[in-house]
Amino acid sequence: MAPTAFVTGITGQDGSYLAELLLSKGYTVYGLIRRSSTFNTDRIEHLYQDPHAKDYRLRLVYGDMQDGSRLTRLLHEVRPDEIYNLAAQSHVKVSFDTAEQTGDVGALGVTRLLEAMRTACPAARFYQASSSEMYGSVPPPQSEASAFSPRSPYAISKLYGHHLVANYREAYGLFACSGILFNHESPRRGGTFVTRKISRAVASIKAGKQDKLFLGNLDARRDWGFAPEYVEGMWRMLQQPKPDDYVLATGETHSVREFAQRAFARAGLDWQKHVQHDARYLRPTEVDALQGDATKAARTLQWQARTRFDALADLMVDADMYALQHGLREFEVRQRFFP
Ligand code: NAP
Ligand code: F7E
């Protein structure tokens, strides 16, 4: 029998790549989506299947991480083999404004889903999207053995989920894993995260539609990888004989300034002529430097990041320039440029 996966956050960057991966492996994929007055399924539009189709394997179901009874009912109905919990209010800066809701989804949402799994399908395998933001002010390089010192409501909500997964694994013997993923980007990255904000602006400036790009802290350093490679790592975690936690990262660290430099240069532009500071993009507390040590994932999962910093910046700029030049909507460029 082909396996069944239940994916929360399927409409997000990672959810869309994970859905592609699981479908290509023959899974039936149930994706949790939120009811919205406008369509929020752009990133998975190319995967959409008519429910009447013979091989109907992408099944979208309504629900919300803030609605525990619905999650329980869904897991009783679906009885998945694997559960990937990717849903979150994932923007760090926004989490300072919406701290309560960020915690409700990112922390209590994990409790709701694990409780649902415990009653409906305790033999399923569970993946939790933990984050390098949990390290906060801990100096790099950061690994599974590093301490945590979170610096935002987002990071604190993720740390709650992370500890809960470890606790449920120990207390109830659940097969539950956390992936501590460092920043991973792509042409599908949300437009308010810094890499995509930059790549979109570069395309727009190159096309003469915009002149300035306003950014906050240029000194922050991140370990940026390519998202499709990271969802492969999530899947590998759930194929192991035992549940465990793993860091996924490139091992390289670069500043926001370096990303801007590289991205503007890709389009033949000088970043200093276009980038201006705007304090509104600063955070009350910042994470200064992240650099992951993914030795354990390399050893156990045979997983390694392949796309390095320069290639990542280049491919994101190329995709945004292509979209503008060809007058394509976002989901169309995804199919044509990155099939
Ligand atoms: P993303 O693009 O922001 O996607 C977030 C997803 O969560 C969307 O599908 C969103 O649905 C859904 N969601 C938000 N609130 C929800 C709720 N109350 N109920 C149900 N679904 C809800 O995030 P991403 O970059 O793909 O990241 C995936 C996960 O990995 C997140 O948990 C994130 O915190 C974590 N993470 C990301 C990174 C990274 O660098 N990308 C690194 C470490 C960890 P809508 O489309 O309806 O908004
Ligand atoms: O910021 C600085 C900002 O918002 C990166 C999420 O996926 O990765 C992501 O969180 C850095 C920060 O990502 C702007 O201050 C400067 O230092 O792209 P970001 P993030 O906060 O690292 C982690 C691993 C997650 O788990 C999260 O879900 O860039 N920065 N100027 C800016 N950031 C933004 N967004 N906008 C600016 O104008």
Side-chain angles (χ1 to χ4, degrees):
M1 278 271 286
T4 298
F6 182 81
V7 180
T8 75
I10 195 164
T11 57
Q13 172 190 254
D14 290 5
S16 68
Y17 285 120
L18 181 66
E20 277 172 16
L21 179 79
L22 295 173
L23 290 170
S24 76
K25 290 183 183 295
Y27 280 67
T28 296
V29 177
Y30 284 81
L32 186 77
I33 60 170
R34 298 194 281 180
R35 196 271 158 181
S36 155
S37 68
T38 54
F39 286 115
N40 57 3
T41 48
D42 261 15
R43 288 192 180 96
I44 49 172
E45 184 146 331
H46 60 295
L47 301 175
Y48 178 80
Q49 292 171 311
D50 186 325
H52 307 97
K54 206 162 157 248
D55 183 31
Y56 171 50
R57 290 191 292 116
L58 177 64
R59 302 176 183 183
L60 301 179
V61 289
Y62 283 113
D64 196 297
M65 296 306 290
Q66 294 174 281
D67 181 356
S69 60
R70 174 62 174 150
L71 294 174
T72 304
R73 200 148 35 87
L74 275 171
L75 291 195
H76 271 291
E77 283 166 21
V78 173
R79 296 196 186 272
D81 302 293
E82 296 174 11
I83 299 170
Y84 295 86
N85 184 31
L86 309 184
Q89 187 304 93
S90 74
H91 202 284
V92 174
K93 173 75 161 59
V94 172
S95 79
F96 288 97
D97 298 326
T98 62
E100 183 180 331
Q101 196 262 353
T102 299
D104 198 332
V105 178
L108 289 181
V110 185
T111 316
R112 294 183 187 109
L113 196 55
L114 280 170
E115 278 295 310
M117 167 173 157
R118 204 154 75 81
T119 56
C121 48
R125 296 182 168 212
F126 187 96
Y127 173 83
Q128 168 60 17
S130 287
S131 166
S132 53
E133 281 293 300
M134 301 185 308
Y135 294 117
S137 53
V138 169
Q142 295 98 354
S143 74
E144 297 82 359
S146 302
F148 296 117
S149 181
R151 301 204 83 205
S152 66
Y154 168 78
I156 291 161
S157 77
K158 284 289 177 185
L159 192 53
Y160 177 106
H162 186 77
H163 285 312
L164 198 77
V165 164
N167 179 242
Y168 273 47
R169 188 164 63 208
E170 194 184 347
Y172 306 120
L174 298 186
F175 192 111
C177 304
S178 288
I180 308 173
L181 271 51
F182 283 63
N183 298 52
H184 44 281
E185 320 292 311
S186 74
R188 300 183 194 179
R189 185 59 141 153
T192 60
F193 296 96
V194 79
T195 55
R196 187 78 200 290
K197 185 173 167 181
I198 293 170
S199 66
R200 284 177 63 159
V202 166
S204 179
I205 291 169
K206 184 72 179 173
K209 293 174 185 285
Q210 179 179 334
D211 186 42
K212 297 292 176 210
L213 166 63
F214 294 94
L215 294 175
N217 179 11
L218 298 181
D219 296 321
R221 301 184 72 82
R222 290 291 182 273
D223 179 328
W224 281 296
F226 187 37
E229 296 167 9
Y230 287 59
V231 303
E232 166 81 29
M234 297 175 187
W235 177 79
R236 288 191 188 198
M237 288 178 210
L238 297 200
Q239 313 312 311
Q240 299 307 304
K242 284 190 188 146
D244 206 345
D245 302 331
Y246 299 90
V247 161
L248 299 185
T250 68
E252 270 184 52
T253 184
H254 294 273
S255 66
V256 173
R257 181 180 292 99
E258 287 170 314
F259 192 93
Q261 236 158 15
R262 177 77 196 189
F264 276 86
R266 178 70 175 176
L269 297 168
D270 177 356
W271 73 282
Q272 283 176 304
K273 291 194 176 136
H274 301 283
V275 172
Q276 283 188 1
H277 179 70
D278 186 337
R280 88 179 66 191
Y281 299 114
L282 299 177
R283 290 148 192 212
T285 41
E286 174 66 287
V287 172
D288 295 326
L290 293 173
Q291 180 179 19
D293 173 356
T295 307
K296 180 176 169 183
R299 195 179 53 237
T300 313
L301 308 176
Q302 282 78 52
W303 181 92
Q304 261 184 326
R306 295 184 301 276
T307 306
R308 314 312 291 189
F309 177 78
D310 287 352
L312 178 67
D314 290 355
L315 76 81
M316 290 181 70
V317 169
D318 290 354
D320 278 319
M321 291 207 301
Y322 185 89
L324 260 192
Q325 281 161 12
H326 293 81
L328 295 177
R329 289 190 293 152
E330 277 200 350
F331 78 89
E332 292 172 323
V333 79
R334 279 178 204 126
Q335 290 170 66
R336 294 193 198 179
F337 198 82
F338 292 101

